[in-house]
Structures are given as C-alpha cells and as structure tokens.
Amino acid sequence: MPPHGVQRVTDPLLLSVRPAESVSTPRAYQCVCGRRVFFGNSRCLACQTPLGYVPSRCMLYPLRPAEEPDTWRVAGEEPNGPVYRRCGNFTMAAACNWMLEPDDCRPGSTLCKACRLNRTIPYLGDSRNAELWLKMERAKRRVVSQLIGLGLPVASKVSEDPERGLAYDFLRSQPGEPRVLTGHANGIITINLEEADDAIRERTRVLMGEPYRTLLGHFRHEVGHYYWSRLIDGTEWLPACREVFGDERQDYAAALKLNYDQGPPADWRRRFVSAYASIHPWEDWAETWSHYLHLRDTLDTAESYGIEPMQMDDEPEPFVAADLWRADAPNGPAFLEMLHRWILITGIMNEMSRAMGQHDFYPFVLPRAAVAKLHFIHCAVSRLPRPALPAEETA
C-alpha cells in the first residue's frame, strides 16, 4: 500500500509527467568569431556580426544577410536554411532583438512572438516612458523565452487567440486619475510602468516590508495567474490543485482585506513560500509559480555556463520523496535533484551578493509545504510537450 495521501503512479494526472530536463532554456550563446554573446545582444561587440534570438529554437544566433532585403539566415548553417526577419520593434525604444520565424514572414506581420503580446504600450513622446518601456520589454522577453522553452502555450490575445491568449498593458499613473494597479484579468496582464523605475520600486519594497521586489518577479508572478486559468481551471488538475493550495472559490476581496488589516498568519513561514502567498490560494499559486520560474531559469543559466555547485560529503539533503506532492511521481527523483542543486546555488549566490554588499540573491527559506507546491507545479508543466533544443534536433 502507498503511504497515506500518496497515489500510485497509475494516477491519471501522473501518466504524462516526464522527468526534469537538464536545460529547458539555454542561456549561453556564442558568435561565429568564438566570443561569448548574451541574451539581450543584437550585435557582437567583438566582430560586429548581427545577432538575433529565434524563439522556436530558444537560441541567440549570429546572422548573415539572405537574398531579399532585410532578411537573414543563421550564420554557419546550410546555405538554404530558414529565412528570418527582424522584429518591427528592433528600431523602437524596446530594442527587440527577436526574429520573426518563417511562418510569421507574411504580409502585415511585423512583430515577433514576444512583441505580439503587447496590447498597450506607453506614450513614447515622453523620453522617460521610452526608457522605462525598454526595461519592461527586457524583462518580458526573458520571461517569454522561458515560457516557450518550458513548452507553455504562448499566443497573443490581440492577434492570435482572442479567447485564451495572453496580452500586456503597460500603463503609467496620471495626475488626478486612479493609480494603475499591476494585476491580471482574463488573460490581460497590466503592469504599472513605475515598476520599471528602480528608485520607486525599491521605495515600495521597503514600505511594504518585502525581501524581494523586481520587475522580472512581477512578470513571473502575474503570468502565473494566467497559467492557472490555462493549466488548472476547468481541467482534471483542479481538484488536486485545491488539495495543495486551497479552494480558490473563497472570497478574494475579503481575504485581501483580512491580510491588510491583520497581516499574514503567524505561521506563514511554515506553510508558504512568501508572506504574500498566504493571502489567498490564487496568490499562493502565483507566488509559488514565480519561484518555480526563478528556480528553473537560474539552474538553466548555471548549467548553460557549466557552473556546478559543490556538495559537501557530509551535508544532508534537506528534502526527501515524502516532501513531494506525489512521492511516487516518475519525475520525483529528478525534481529532488534539481531542487537540491537550486538550494546549493542560491546559498552560494547569497554569499556572493553579500561579498558585494548587495541584498541576498534569494532571500527566502523554502518550507516543506512549499516543496510539495513547487512539485505540483512542476508536474503540471512537465506534462506539456516542449520545443526541441538545437542540440536535440539532430540527436
């Protein structure tokens, strides 16, 4: 008999769950000249070769001109390889270095997969807005590239999937008008442009007593609300999600008011990944989702650069199979290994941050209850097909 609360591997929810991949979204790239280039680069600073990010392949590539004006192929690949075009926001304040895929190279298509998600952008006649929008887009591209690498559905609510798609409104509070609130509703994510202002965001972080507040964190949290509706709501995963995170049907406004009036429960550190997660099951899901994306992207970056944390021989591993959502899940051992690498790396990175006099890289401590929630999200994501990475295309 399995332990109490643990279902057998024949549980339908686990039948399509796969083990963790070593890297879902590569983060180390190289120019034809051999120099290292980085995710946000549009040109190699050493040899001036143009660069572009191809989202379907999750890679930044050096480019060479194709036959038609303003078209490109990947340098060093077959002469008749796929033809790409630069995103229309390449010359805008967003400075987008993503490429339009061959399927996108149709009349009237000018924006890449990430920029097509924009429903509202700031008024660019204000130079300050342009500067803040650039920061927004850099964070958004990082998140969207990871979503694609994980195999999550990414389609524009504006131009591709009006019913179930995703879109962004980047708005700035105006004098005499209600303050713009960052949040999600029906696939539309609104982010206050002020969150891209480092001084304002840090002041808010201190006033709210938050250990961590970043633009990237906002994008990851809010898109978590979107993927709850895509992956969980109305699916066979909803009852299990309620068992893990609680019943989302409880009154959200009342829960929010209770939190603002009384603060988080005294034992929130034993049950939640953050104090904000304790407000309501929806926020618990979104906060845990955000931490899951932190974990995956940090490990992808470390592994892409060959960084492997050192495990002391006598150092016990803090979590075991019993801490998982499903102890007999096929991906359980791989998830635990991934989680322990994350703990080692964040411990080292915290020390590196302290060495530079900065805030801790990861100022959180994972309770056992949060591990089960992270594993639930990992299982929900791991059932989805993901794009083949370049090294796998020829394997």
Side-chain angles (χ1 to χ4, degrees), residues 116-308:
R116 287 199 298 270
L117 301 177
N118 292 343
R119 189 176 76 158
T120 307
I121 65 171
Y123 169 62
L124 299 180
D126 183 329
S127 60
R128 181 58 175 158
N129 283 355
E131 176 186 342
L132 297 177
W133 185 43
L134 172 60
K135 293 182 178 181
M136 284 281 188
E137 290 295 329
R138 285 172 174 166
K140 189 190 76 181
R141 288 193 289 268
R142 180 89 185 194
V143 170
V144 173
S145 68
Q146 183 184 19
L147 301 176
I148 294 169
L150 289 171
L152 290 158
V154 179
S156 170
K157 194 176 185 71
V158 178
S159 60
E160 296 170 321
D161 188 351
E163 292 299 318
R164 304 189 71 195
L166 173 66
Y168 287 92
D169 288 343
F170 298 134
L171 305 176
R172 191 172 184 181
S173 300
Q174 299 299 318
E177 296 182 6
R179 187 174 185 275
V180 171
L181 298 179
T182 294
H184 166 267
N186 301 318
I188 305 295
I189 292 176
T190 301
I191 300 186
N192 189 329
L193 202 62
E194 291 178 352
E195 291 293 346
D197 186 308
D198 296 340
I200 293 176
R201 190 180 62 254
E202 177 63 11
R203 184 165 64 247
T204 303
R205 185 191 70 80
V206 173
L207 288 173
M208 298 290 288
E210 299 171 336
Y212 175 91
R213 189 183 183 96
T214 67
L215 191 52
L216 192 60
H218 278 304
F219 274 94
R220 286 175 171 159
H221 175 98
E222 297 304 336
V223 87
H225 288 299
Y226 168 72
Y227 282 111
W228 183 88
S229 66
R230 289 300 308 267
L231 302 182
I232 304 300
D233 192 25
T235 75
E236 68 277 12
W237 286 76
L238 183 56
C241 187
R242 286 173 177 163
E243 290 178 5
V244 176
F245 290 93
D247 193 333
E248 83 291 345
R249 292 171 293 187
Q250 63 181 271
D251 190 312
Y252 181 84
L256 194 65
K257 183 177 185 303
L258 181 66
N259 176 267
Y260 286 138
D261 289 346
Q262 301 182 13
D267 66 343
W268 72 262
R269 290 178 178 83
R270 292 195 297 106
R271 298 190 289 132
F272 301 97
V273 74
S274 70
Y276 194 73
S278 69
I279 292 176
H280 186 275
W282 276 334
E283 299 304 345
D284 194 8
W285 164 275
E287 281 288 272
T288 308
W289 175 277
S290 178
H291 282 249
Y292 178 73
L293 295 188
H294 292 334
L295 181 156
R296 293 299 299 267
D297 200 15
T298 298
L299 291 180
D300 281 353
T301 302
E303 188 152 343
S304 295
Y305 283 99
I307 299 172
E308 186 63 35

Side-chain angles (χ1 to χ4, degrees), residues 37-55:
V37 291
F38 301 94
F39 178 70
N41 292 157
S42 58
R43 183 174 294 276
C44 174
L45 297 180
C47 69
Q48 302 304 308
T49 296
L51 306 170
Y53 189 80
V54 179

